[in-house]
């Protein structure tokens, strides 16, 4: 087929230009199948095109162009090894075809076999030494492998043929920059700015000066970039960073607005900028209206991008605008209904803001699409528990337990939760059975150990077992105020008042000063060891925090006892 390749390609071009196709009744020859294959290939119907090219090869095994197209199809499918097999077949038929050789070289680059790719480019240069494009393809390989000497040799050859030009200077600049030759890189970049004025070069020179804290020159070249191309928003970003560093926030936001509003700037670059520089700083707290404008500009530039909308919803949630955040999350879901992570974002949002009824409704909607999602089923049970709907929560957990496969990690969560819930509904015997089941799976589960021990203490049952379990929790987490409080209270119930006072004081010191129950426990221990006045002070604090505990009545009773 090699001798007829040009004729065949011309016929393909003519067939495409005339918008004619070969009817199914007239497909007889290899050329017919090939022409139809090209038509389907151009329509991006790769499966049909592949079938037709294979039929063409059956009719004529010397059809190198069909092998070439099959290689392209496999390359588009990212099946690079198969693509290499097909292009090798084409080259067996037409070994001097430059197009096939370039394709083979690029495939070797995709598979990481850069040395093979380089050898092919060298062979093309030998065949066609005036083809400068091949030199640059070879140079890119050497650049990726930091073979700067070889790249320099290529530049020298190109300049010997074509003279010094922008591309050769630019490549030399890249070599100097990558190899750390700062002075040489700067000299060449200044030449590029002077000889080939462009916003890109001025922006790079501005960045160079900003990195070296020469703010005046940096600002000059950023403005020069904008003079050359007013739409070059990365110069606005550079200026914004200059002003942010100097605390000149009016000019910072002025430039940030432009950068964020540019729809031609990649949205992920903007998201990273928000996450790395805007959100972690004090800008949100000090300049909320201005940051709002930054967010609005970003959404306006990318109104349907899921990453932008997700980030915006997180921003509004973090700044207390729950309704706005919820609306954006829902809009994001409507725009991207197949993105399950967005649905989970809504569940997470409702859980964070304790919107339990909405959480249940949203979770049930998710289960319509993913009925076997155990995590979502568990979320519904948690929501019922938080709402005080303990019976419904129990039913949900037991239903979940019956559907979980053996050994599933959620079984432990179910046992622990059912222990808590059964105690809340006045069925401690069932609660304790579930705690025992949970501890068989995870003997060091501090949540279960603590709650089991505390509830045993409240029932004044098996205090020695309760103390042993509670002691284990503070051995595992010695700074946990809740665990310290449980252990201290169990010591109190066991009559060990002085030891109880010491432990409960630790609980208070570890974040218990605003917890009325912990303050009450500590006051009881103080009273028991004779520190009545101090106990009264802590009871007063506890009563202020939560009057519903009836501490005022207790204090009155104790004061009367003290008088007697």
């Amino acid at each position: 087929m090699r001798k007829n390749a040009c004729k065949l390609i011309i016929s393909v071009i003519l067939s495409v230009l005339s918008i004619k196709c070969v009817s199914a009744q007239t497909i007889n020859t290899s050329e017919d199948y090939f022409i139809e294959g090209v038509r389907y290939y151009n329509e991006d119907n790769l499966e049909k095109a592949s079938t037709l090219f294979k039929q063409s090869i059956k009719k004529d095994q010397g059809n190198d162009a069909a092998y070439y197209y099959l290689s392209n199809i496999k390359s588009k499918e990212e099946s690079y090894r198969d693509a290499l097999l097909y292009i090798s077949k084409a080259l067996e038929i037409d070994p001097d075809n430059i197009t096939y050789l370039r394709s083979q070289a690029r495939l070797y680059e995709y598979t990481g076999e850069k040395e093979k790719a380089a050898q092919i480019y060298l062979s093309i240069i030998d065949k066609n030494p005036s083809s400068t494009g091949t030199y640059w393809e070879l140079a890119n390989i050497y650049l990726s492998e930091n073979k700067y000497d070889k790249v320099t040799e290529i530049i020298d050859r190109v300049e010997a043929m074509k003279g010094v030009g922008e591309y050769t200077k630019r490549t030399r600049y890249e070599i100097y920059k990558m190899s750390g030759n700062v002075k040489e890189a700067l000299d060449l970049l200044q030449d590029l700015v002077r000889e080939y004025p462009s916003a890109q070069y001025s922006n790079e020179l501005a960045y160079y000066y900003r990195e070296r804290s020469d703010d005046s020159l940096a600002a000059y070249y950023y403005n020069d970039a904008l003079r050359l191309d007013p739409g070059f928003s990365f110069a606005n970003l550079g200026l914004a960073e200059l002003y942010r560093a100097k605390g000149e926030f009016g000019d910072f936001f002025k430039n940030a607005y432009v950068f964020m509003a540019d729809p031609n700037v990649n949205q992920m670059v903007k998201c990273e900028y928000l996450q790395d520089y805007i959100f972690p700083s004090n800008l949100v707290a000090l300049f909320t209206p201005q940051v709002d404008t930054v967010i609005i500009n970003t959404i306006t530039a990318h109104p349907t991008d899921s990453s932008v909308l997700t980030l915006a919803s997180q921003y509004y949630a973090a700044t207390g605008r729950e309704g706005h955040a919820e609306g954006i999350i829902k809009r994001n879901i409507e725009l991207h209904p197949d993105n399950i992570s967005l649905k989970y974002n809504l569940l997470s949002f409702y859980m964070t803001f304790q919107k339990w009824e909405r959480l249940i409704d949203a979770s049930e909607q998710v289960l319509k699409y993913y009925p076997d999602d155990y995590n979502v089923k568990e979320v519904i049970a948690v929501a019922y528990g938080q709402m005080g709907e303990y019976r419904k929560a129990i039913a949900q957990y037991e239903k979940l337990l019956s559907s979980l496969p053996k050994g599933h990690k959620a079984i432990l969560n179910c046992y622990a939760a059912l222990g808590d819930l059964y105690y809340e509904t006045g069925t401690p015997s069932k609660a304790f059975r579930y705690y025992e089941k949970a501890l068989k799976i995870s003997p060091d589960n501090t949540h279960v150990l603590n709650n089991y021990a505390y509830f045993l203490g409240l029932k004044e049952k098996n205090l020695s077992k309760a103390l042993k379990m509670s002691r284990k929790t503070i051995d595992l987490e010695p700074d946990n105020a809740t665990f310290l409080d449980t252990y201290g209270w169990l010591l109190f119930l066991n009559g060990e008042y002085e030891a109880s006072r010491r432990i409960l004081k630790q609980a208070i010191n570890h974040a218990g000063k605003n917890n009325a129950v912990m303050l009450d426990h500590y006051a009881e221990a103080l009273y028991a060891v004779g520190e009545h006045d101090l106990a009264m002070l802590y009871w007063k604090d506890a009563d202020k925090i939560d009057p519903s505990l009836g501490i005022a009545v207790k204090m009155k009773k104790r004061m009367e006892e003290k008088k007697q």
Side-chain angles (χ1 to χ4, degrees):
M1 171 142 188
R2 181 174 25 175
K3 295 178 181 178
N4 297 321
C6 290
K7 180 180 177 183
L8 182 55
I9 291 170
I10 290 170
S11 69
V12 170
I13 293 170
L14 290 173
S15 70
V16 172
L17 291 175
S18 61
I19 321 177
K20 293 179 180 179
C21 63
V22 182
S23 67
Q25 289 80 8
T26 60
I27 295 180
N28 294 312
T29 67
S30 173
E31 187 171 340
D32 292 338
Y33 282 113
F34 179 77
I35 291 171
E36 276 293 272
V38 171
R39 184 169 71 84
Y40 280 106
Y41 179 87
N42 291 332
E43 293 173 358
D44 211 29
N45 188 339
L46 301 184
E47 184 178 356
K48 181 67 174 177
S50 179
T51 300
L52 288 162
F53 289 135
K54 288 175 182 177
Q55 289 291 334
S56 177
I57 289 167
K58 279 186 179 180
K59 293 282 186 178
D60 177 7
Q61 292 186 1
N63 189 337
D64 55 288
Y67 284 118
Y68 168 71
Y69 273 100
L70 285 169
S71 176
N72 286 349
I73 290 170
K74 289 298 179 183
S75 182
K76 286 187 175 187
E77 294 171 350
E78 298 185 6
S79 299
Y80 299 124
R81 290 294 171 190
D82 291 336
L84 277 167
L85 290 174
Y86 281 122
I87 201 65
S88 297
K89 287 281 189 182
L91 281 165
E92 285 175 12
I93 300 165
D94 190 356
D96 296 324
N97 189 304
I98 301 297
T99 300
Y100 298 169
L101 287 167
R102 285 184 189 278
S103 179
Q104 187 182 46
R106 280 191 287 271
L107 287 168
Y108 278 128
E109 287 188 67
Y110 296 152
T111 60
E113 298 171 271
K114 293 185 178 180
E115 187 57 39
K116 288 183 178 179
Q119 291 302 318
I120 293 170
Y121 287 131
L122 285 168
S123 72
I124 295 172
I125 289 170
D126 287 341
K127 292 180 173 67
N128 189 4
S130 63
S131 173
T132 54
T134 309
Y135 288 98
W136 296 126
E137 288 172 309
L138 181 59
N140 286 333
I141 291 177
Y142 289 146
L143 273 174
S144 70
E145 297 179 326
N146 301 327
K147 295 179 179 178
Y148 304 128
D149 292 343
K150 288 185 176 291
V151 181
T152 301
E153 289 175 11
I154 290 172
I155 295 171
D156 291 342
R157 287 184 66 176
V158 172
E159 287 182 340
M161 287 189 295
K162 304 287 186 179
V164 177
E166 179 184 0
Y167 200 83
T168 58
K169 275 198 170 186
R170 172 76 196 198
T171 308
R172 285 192 195 276
Y173 161 67
E174 294 292 343
I175 292 171
Y176 288 139
K177 187 169 69 171
M178 292 168 70
S179 59
N181 294 324
V182 178
K183 185 182 182 306
E184 292 85 347
L186 177 60
D187 289 344
L188 268 177
L189 183 54
Q190 289 171 331
D191 286 349
L192 287 165
V193 168
R194 185 171 53 255
E195 296 173 21
Y196 308 98
S198 76
Q200 179 66 45
Y201 292 148
S202 291
N203 188 70
E204 285 192 47
L205 191 53
Y207 180 79
Y208 170 88
Y209 285 119
R210 181 160 70 87
E211 285 288 289
R212 285 148 185 82
S213 301
D214 194 335
D215 292 351
S216 297
L217 279 174
Y220 174 83
Y221 282 107
Y222 279 133
N223 283 305
D224 188 52
L226 290 171
R227 178 184 62 81
L228 292 164
D229 181 0
F232 191 81
S233 297
F234 279 99
N236 290 111
L237 176 62
L239 285 168
E241 283 302 286
L242 277 179
Y243 291 126
R244 186 174 69 88
K246 293 191 291 185
E248 297 176 11
F249 294 111
D251 287 325
F252 161 73
F253 281 110
K254 178 182 175 182
N255 284 278
Y257 293 158
V258 176
F259 175 72
M260 290 300 192
D262 187 349
N264 297 313
V265 175
N266 183 278
Q267 63 270 22
M268 294 311 299
V269 172
K270 296 178 184 179
C271 288
E272 288 173 10
Y273 184 65
L274 288 167
Q275 290 174 310
D276 294 344
Y277 296 100
I278 304 296
F279 294 163
S281 67
N282 291 325
L283 291 173
V284 175
L286 296 173
F287 301 100
T288 302
Q290 291 88 338
V291 178
D292 283 357
T293 302
V294 168
I295 297 296
I296 291 167
N297 285 2
T298 309
I299 295 174
T300 303
H302 311 281
T304 63
D305 183 79
S306 63
S307 298
V308 169
L309 293 174
T310 297
L311 205 59
S313 67
Q314 291 169 353
Y315 168 72
Y316 287 118
T319 52
R321 287 167 283 183
E322 298 169 24
H324 204 163
E326 182 182 0
I328 291 177
I329 296 170
K330 288 182 174 179
R331 177 185 164 200
N332 209 358
I333 292 170
E334 289 172 4
L335 289 167
H336 309 279
D338 297 328
N339 189 333
I340 181 62
S341 67
L342 300 180
K343 294 179 174 67
Y344 287 132
N345 284 349
L346 183 60
L347 302 189
S348 178
F349 170 80
Y350 286 143
M351 184 168 282
T352 299
F353 289 97
Q354 301 182 9
K355 308 287 186 183
W356 305 119
E357 291 185 2
R358 294 183 196 178
L359 177 59
I360 291 168
D361 291 341
S363 297
E364 288 174 345
Q365 288 300 314
V366 171
L367 287 174
K368 289 180 181 179
Y369 298 96
Y370 307 98
D372 297 324
D373 193 318
Y374 302 124
N375 292 323
V376 176
K377 291 178 181 179
E378 188 176 358
V379 163
I380 294 173
V382 169
Y384 278 127
Q386 292 295 322
M387 291 168 62
E389 299 275 1
Y390 299 133
R391 296 294 178 190
K392 288 183 179 180
I394 287 171
Q396 184 69 22
Y397 273 117
E398 289 183 337
K399 182 180 176 183
L400 174 58
L401 263 179
S402 67
S403 66
L404 288 170
K406 187 176 180 180
H408 195 281
K409 63 181 180 180
I411 292 173
L412 172 62
N413 296 344
C414 290
Y415 287 157
L418 284 167
D420 296 343
L421 290 163
Y422 272 117
Y423 192 88
E424 292 290 346
T425 54
T427 319
S429 58
K430 278 192 173 183
F432 297 156
R433 283 203 296 273
Y434 275 110
Y435 286 144
E436 291 287 350
K437 287 183 177 184
L439 291 174
K440 282 183 181 178
I441 297 172
S442 178
D444 292 336
N445 188 295
T446 52
H447 168 82
V448 174
L449 288 167
N450 179 74
N451 287 13
Y452 192 4
Y454 188 70
F455 293 146
L456 278 175
L458 292 181
K459 291 295 179 183
E460 296 186 1
K461 292 179 64 175
N462 204 342
L463 279 176
S464 61
K465 179 178 181 178
L467 278 164
K468 185 178 179 181
M469 288 192 294
S470 183
R471 178 74 227 186
K472 192 173 186 179
T473 65
I474 60 173
D475 287 341
L476 292 167
E477 297 183 37
D479 297 330
N480 188 303
T482 300
F483 299 165
L484 287 165
D485 176 69
T486 297
Y487 186 58
W489 188 240
L490 289 170
L491 287 170
F492 180 88
L493 294 173
N494 204 43
E496 301 177 52
Y497 300 129
E498 181 55 37
S500 170
R501 183 194 66 78
R502 291 197 305 271
I503 296 296
L504 289 169
K505 184 177 181 180
Q506 290 181 48
I508 297 297
N509 291 336
H510 285 89
K513 292 179 182 178
N514 295 315
N515 186 303
V517 173
M518 289 186 188
L519 291 171
D520 178 39
H521 288 167
Y522 184 44
E524 286 283 11
L526 287 169
Y527 197 88
V529 297
E531 296 188 40
H532 297 165
D533 293 340
L534 189 57
M536 290 296 173
L537 291 174
Y538 277 101
W539 268 322
K540 284 181 181 179
D541 289 342
D543 188 54
K544 287 178 184 176
I545 294 169
D546 188 354
S548 69
L549 293 176
I551 292 173
V553 175
K554 183 197 298 189
M555 289 171 65
K556 184 177 179 181
K557 182 180 178 182
R558 294 294 171 86
M559 289 173 72
E560 289 174 355
E561 289 174 359
K562 187 180 176 184
K563 287 178 183 178
Q564 293 173 2

